[in-house]
Amino acid sequence: MKFVKLIFWRLLAGIGVLWGAATITFLALNLTSGDPAIAILGGPDALPTPEVIAQVRKDYGLDQPLAVQYVQYLARLASGDLGESYRLKIPVVEAIAPLVAPTMSLAFCAALTAVIMSIVIALLTAKRAAWLRSLVSGTELVLTSAPSFVLGIGLLLVFAFHLHLFPVAGSQGWRSMVLPVMTLAIPATAMLTQVLRQELEDVLDQPFITMARARGLSETGVRLKHALRHALTSLITLSGFMFAFLLGGAVITENLFARQGLGRLMVEATTNSDVPIVLGVTLLAALIYVLINLVVDVLNAIVDPRIAVHS
Amino acid sequence: MSQIPPLVEVENLQVAFRNGPQVVKGVSFSVNRGECLALIGESGSGKSVTSRTLVGLTGHGSRLAADRLRFGGEDLLGASERRWRSIRGGRVGFVMQDALGSLDPLRTVGDEVAETLKLHTDLTKAQRTARVIELLASVGVPEPEVRARQLPSQLSGGLRQRALIASAIACAPQLLIADEPTTALDAAVQAQVLRLLENLRTPDNAMLVVSHDFAVVSRLADRIAVMRHGEIVEQGTAEQILHDPRHPYTQGLLAAAASLHSTALRRPTTAPPRMAIGRTGLTSHVIEAKGLSKAFKGPDARKRTAVSDVSFDLRFGETLGLVGESGSGKTTATRLVLGLETPDAGVVRLRGRAWGELSEANRRIERKRIQVVFQDPLGSFDPRYTVERVLGEALDVAGYRPGARRRARAVELLEMVRLDESFLTRRPIELSGGQRQRVAIARALAPQPEVLVCDEPVSALDVSVQVQILDLLGELKERLGLACIFISHDLGVVRRVSDRIAVMKGGQIVESGPTAEVFGAPRHEYTRELLAAIPQLKTRAEALHA
């Protein structure tokens, strides 16, 4: 019950965020991308005649005042109509929809892998021997700063070309997922682990940890039952951010591994000035951000009961 | 009859930390069944570390050696982690002070108490829940069924401490170690918790109490061991230590404690009365507070009255003691006086002028006339600053530009608080608690204030240091003609410094008057309760007789 109120307010705020994103994309479309009519007709290279341009303007409502266009645009969005792709000549929704699942599953698997690996590594290395800590955190630092294409090519060389464990490219079956997921998950793990270990070490210095030990709780028990829960709140918040970051990372990774997905669609749309597709993906990203933050807030309220009690 | 060996035997115990100094240097003691031993000492004496060797929790990087370390006839030297775990919580209960949260803030109080049962008994979940409620009831937690489901943050400090004790005694340990069990508590609550600990004693179990406070220890202990710099300087029966201390260090500690708990009053302020020209003519009051009320919105959006219809005044050069337990409204009253909060009703006049009449720019000028000294000076210093920079910043506000004159004034301030020039280059973290508080006082004196507000200025200090700081404050007030609002929960401390006393409870002043009157013939029931709750330097036997 206490979560219902929380979810309601967060959703309301989320609608505000989506409206903001829609407005900014609208302005971006009208202020920066040149004449949309020309883009619709295949770009300046297509050499459209002024009559054709005028006809397109009329058809797409581009001859209306900006304010009217804005209201019409919002009304279309509200009914789920994102417009039509300039190049593919199909509705944006139809272009995007089949690709949402592959990209989301790639990002989700990467985020889940990163969260699980970072929890395990942080639990094993927090407050342990100094040499172990500096070895692990040094490795993490290198992996956090490694560009994902370098990491991806490295993984391809070793696991695909030499060991032939996983396919080099494609979107077929779980085996094709492994290397792209790891390419995304490894730097994310390194970053999450560093934060999580710091949190764990801070918590392990608290008096209630000493009290738990004084009750006879084992080191593993202390870490799993007391310390981890405290460290989880920052992990959850960070993972939300991380998931969004991974969606962005998917753009590069999908191209590298020649996978079907939003990332590739986005790259193609950008190179071809297919503005409606770019806008559609941007709005989708905003929607995903809103939903992720909602999940993060609810999870945090579950892990830290003080949030629900005091807010 | 063969002699039963003591429950705890410690001989020549040594504890050192890696890359650090030795903190326990050859300590020997024993505790018998049915007995309570107190380890007493000031901060850094090694008393806490000593007590923790008995649960094997001396911490990361500690090295331990002893000729003998036995519990219940069992050798604990080199005990495996598994052995330790069966002893901790099962045969030895351990309680710490609550100050920084000894209960996991994310788990319910009931879960914390149940943890001990889960680890050491075969009770089912339902049986554990039932037992937790029994335990909470047995340590005097009201409505245990409700409390068990609440979070530590929803409980008062006293209830938290009780719950903590419940978690330590859940498996009826043979030895209960209590490390500063009442330190963070108000006097009345402290008295209740001490009574609870007394009631937990049986002929079969033993207790080890660690404290800096003779008054706490005297109430509980059969025997007392006095620790200093990692050594026991003296041990004996409570009666012998309290009435016939042999070691000069013990004598000094007791004298300091006695002077704080003594009934003697300070001599009244002799500074000549001063006047100021206020809006309505001459006034002899530096501060007048009339009918102050202030409410805050609570977390559940309900308004809570912090202060209601509070009136008092402060003459030039006078000290007013503001007494009350936590939550009584002392701090809010003070913030109103400082003009940091705007009252919902009532008025505060500084030298006859109300805060409300002044513009923010003028308030800033006026605020210099009132300076504050807090309980924890470390928290009020930037840790990267040197003392020179700390004082320099305060002198900057007072109109001293950087240079030789400002430096000279900084040295002068340090000398006022009995420190010297060499402290200018030190950082707060390198100073002892007493030195830090002296620097905080020097900083407060920098703008030449007329009023000093001291908010629990000695609560975090060792007793002997408390006496030194109080004496210093008394001397400075006399010399500089400072008026002072002195806030404390400790009546012994307040009595030592105040000309007049105001007792606060539930946001109101329930009694006020000259110190001698309030302490000698308290009129309000609450004042009498507070006075009765002051821990006395009496042994158990004496307390029973009285």
Side-chain angles (χ1 to χ4, degrees), chain B residues 182-431:
Chain B
T182 63
T183 300
L185 304 174
D186 285 331
V189 184
Q190 177 175 343
Q192 290 163 12
V193 171
L194 284 177
R195 215 170 299 135
L196 168 65
L197 287 173
E198 256 182 295
N199 293 338
L200 289 176
R201 293 189 52 180
T202 69
D204 296 322
N205 65 20
M207 206 178 274
L208 180 67
V209 178
V210 177
S211 181
H212 70 286
D213 189 343
F214 264 109
V216 166
V217 156
S218 65
R219 171 105 188 230
L220 283 170
D222 302 305
R223 286 190 302 118
I224 295 177
V226 182
M227 285 194 72
R228 182 200 194 187
H229 303 326
E231 289 169 6
I232 291 181
V233 296
E234 180 170 11
Q235 62 177 314
T237 63
E239 185 156 353
Q240 184 249 309
I241 298 283
L242 288 174
H243 297 310
D244 186 20
R246 312 267 157 79
H247 196 280
Y249 180 67
T250 315
Q251 291 164 356
L253 272 185
L254 273 167
S259 90
L260 280 182
H261 293 294
S262 79
T263 43
L265 298 166
R266 63 181 286 275
R267 62 201 166 85
T269 304
T270 51
R274 278 173 55 196
M275 302 284 236
I277 301 164
R279 208 169 56 110
T280 52
L282 274 180
T283 174
S284 58
H285 291 130
V286 62
I287 288 172
E288 288 170 279
K290 278 215 166 55
L292 293 180
S293 294
K294 180 81 186 170
F296 292 103
K297 253 201 187 131
D300 53 358
R302 261 210 319 251
K303 278 214 158 192
R304 269 160 229 272
T305 308
V307 158
S308 124
D309 196 21
V310 161
S311 302
F312 60 86
D313 46 38
L314 183 70
R315 293 187 192 87
F316 285 96
E318 180 192 48
T319 298
L320 174 71
L322 213 50
V323 178
E325 312 219 313
S326 29
S328 61
K330 293 172 298 188
T331 302
T332 305
T334 319
R335 290 181 63 83
L336 290 170
V337 165
L338 290 169
L340 294 172
E341 302 276 357
T342 313
D344 298 337
V347 66
V348 176
R349 288 200 186 84
L350 179 65
R351 297 161 65 94
R353 291 185 66 183
W355 278 120
E357 296 169 12
L358 299 170
S359 67
E360 185 51 39
N362 282 329
R363 283 185 191 201
R364 239 173 276 145
I365 296 168
E366 290 296 314
R367 250 184 219 129
K368 276 188 249 169
R369 298 183 194 276
I370 313 182
Q371 290 295 313
V372 195
V373 177
F374 291 106
Q375 171 176 352
D376 170 28
L378 194 55
S380 63
F381 291 134
D382 187 326
R384 292 162 307 169
Y385 279 23
T386 58
V387 169
E388 178 163 15
R389 209 162 153 201
V390 167
L391 294 177
E393 204 176 50
L395 285 168
D396 216 28
V397 178
Y400 284 84
R401 295 290 137 229
R405 216 177 111 237
R406 188 166 96 175
R407 195 187 146 86
R409 174 72 181 147
V411 174
E412 199 183 327
L413 286 169
L414 282 178
E415 280 164 357
M416 272 191 206
V417 296
R418 304 266 177 278
L419 297 174
D420 58 41
E421 205 176 337
S422 70
F423 280 86
L424 283 178
T425 54
R426 311 262 297 264
R427 279 167 219 280
I429 196 88
E430 303 163 14
L431 305 177

Side-chain angles (χ1 to χ4, degrees), chain A residues 47-305:
Chain A
L47 299 170
T49 60
E51 292 76 28
V52 179
I53 293 176
Q55 185 58 46
V56 167
R57 283 225 167 113
K58 199 152 178 279
D59 291 349
Y60 283 77
L62 296 172
D63 52 350
Q64 306 270 358
L66 209 56
V68 176
Q69 285 188 48
Y70 176 63
V71 173
Q72 284 172 345
Y73 164 78
L74 284 186
R76 280 203 309 273
L77 282 188
S79 64
D81 177 8
L82 294 175
E84 190 176 83
S85 162
Y86 292 167
R87 269 184 72 85
L88 305 172
K89 306 293 179 201
I90 52 169
V92 171
V93 178
E94 276 173 38
I96 291 177
L99 302 177
V100 172
T103 301
M104 288 291 279
S105 57
L106 178 63
F108 183 77
C109 288
L112 197 68
T113 311
V115 166
I116 292 171
M117 288 204 302
S118 66
I119 289 177
V120 172
I121 299 172
L123 279 173
L124 289 175
T125 54
K127 287 247 170 190
R128 302 289 193 202
W131 66 267
L132 178 69
R133 282 201 61 229
S134 30
L135 179 74
V136 175
S137 66
T139 314
E140 284 160 9
L141 206 62
V142 172
L143 291 176
T144 314
S145 28
S148 55
F149 65 88
V150 173
L151 191 67
I153 290 168
L155 288 173
L156 273 176
L157 279 177
V158 176
F159 293 98
F161 293 125
H162 279 279
L163 300 175
H164 302 290
L165 285 174
F166 304 106
V168 175
S171 327
Q172 265 66 56
W174 67 270
R175 291 167 67 89
S176 71
M177 282 277 279
V178 175
L179 290 184
V181 164
M182 292 313 285
T183 305
L184 282 174
I186 287 174
T189 307
M191 195 186 123
L192 288 180
T193 311
Q194 292 196 314
V195 175
L196 192 59
R197 182 170 46 238
Q198 185 59 51
E199 291 282 324
L200 279 175
E201 292 186 343
D202 289 348
V203 177
L204 286 170
D205 279 336
Q206 298 293 315
F208 63 82
I209 294 291
T210 309
M211 279 305 304
R213 290 206 170 104
R215 289 184 201 119
L217 199 62
S218 65
E219 185 60 34
T220 317
V222 163
R223 283 172 187 240
L224 288 179
K225 291 190 180 159
H226 290 273
L228 182 59
R229 192 165 177 187
H230 286 261
L232 274 185
T233 49
S234 45
L235 182 77
I236 290 168
T237 309
L238 206 58
S239 322
F241 168 76
M242 184 65 71
F243 188 65
F245 168 80
L246 289 174
L247 274 178
V251 175
I252 297 169
T253 314
E254 281 170 355
N255 275 280
L256 185 67
F257 290 93
R259 288 181 63 81
Q260 285 296 310
L262 286 175
R264 255 172 87 189
L265 178 71
M266 187 77 165
V267 172
E268 283 161 11
T270 315
T271 17
N272 298 321
S273 311
D274 196 345
V275 179
I277 295 278
V278 176
L279 292 186
V281 177
T282 309
L283 284 175
L284 178 69
L287 178 69
I288 292 169
Y289 270 62
V290 167
L291 292 178
I292 289 171
N293 277 312
L294 177 69
V295 172
V296 162
D297 286 339
V298 172
L299 281 181
N300 266 334
I302 292 170
V303 169
D304 188 345

Side-chain angles (χ1 to χ4, degrees), chain B residues 371-378 380-381 387-388 390-391 394 409-421 423-424 426-428 430-447 452 454 456-476 479-480 482 496:
Chain B
Q371 290 295 313
V372 195
V373 177
F374 291 106
Q375 171 176 352
D376 170 28
L378 194 55
S380 63
F381 291 134
V387 169
E388 178 163 15
V390 167
L391 294 177
R409 174 72 181 147
V411 174
E412 199 183 327
L413 286 169
L414 282 178
E415 280 164 357
M416 272 191 206
V417 296
R418 304 266 177 278
L419 297 174
D420 58 41
E421 205 176 337
F423 280 86
L424 283 178
R426 311 262 297 264
R427 279 167 219 280
E430 303 163 14
L431 305 177
S432 72
Q435 288 166 343
R436 237 178 256 151
Q437 202 54 289
R438 283 169 197 269
V439 173
I441 295 170
R443 175 174 62 178
L445 294 177
L452 205 57
C454 300
E456 302 273 6
V458 296
S459 302
L461 303 174
D462 284 329
V463 182
S464 58
V465 183
Q466 284 192 20
V467 174
Q468 291 164 17
I469 296 291
L470 291 177
D471 287 349
L472 174 72
L473 279 172
E475 180 200 312
L476 286 171
R479 208 166 105 198
L480 306 171
L482 285 170
R496 199 182 163 88

Side-chain angles (χ1 to χ4, degrees), chain B residues 29-48:
Chain B
F29 64 89
S30 63
V31 191
N32 290 311
R33 289 178 177 79
E35 187 184 46
C36 175
L37 173 73
L39 287 179
I40 196 161
E42 302 198 296
S43 36
S45 62
K47 56 189 192 304
S48 281

Side-chain angles (χ1 to χ4, degrees), chain B residues 187 259-266 319-324 486 488-504 511-536:
Chain B
S259 90
L260 280 182
H261 293 294
S262 79
T263 43
L265 298 166
R266 63 181 286 275
T319 298
L320 174 71
L322 213 50
V323 178
F486 197 97
S488 182
H489 70 283
D490 186 334
L491 282 102
V493 167
V494 169
R495 173 157 52 186
R496 199 182 163 88
V497 296
S498 308
D499 299 304
R500 282 188 307 126
I501 301 246
V503 181
M504 286 196 75
E511 176 162 7
S512 66
T515 307
E517 251 173 55
V518 173
F519 277 81
R523 287 188 307 266
H524 196 276
E525 179 60 27
Y526 181 67
T527 316
R528 281 197 285 271
E529 270 173 42
L530 275 184
L531 283 170
I534 300 181
Q536 298 291 322

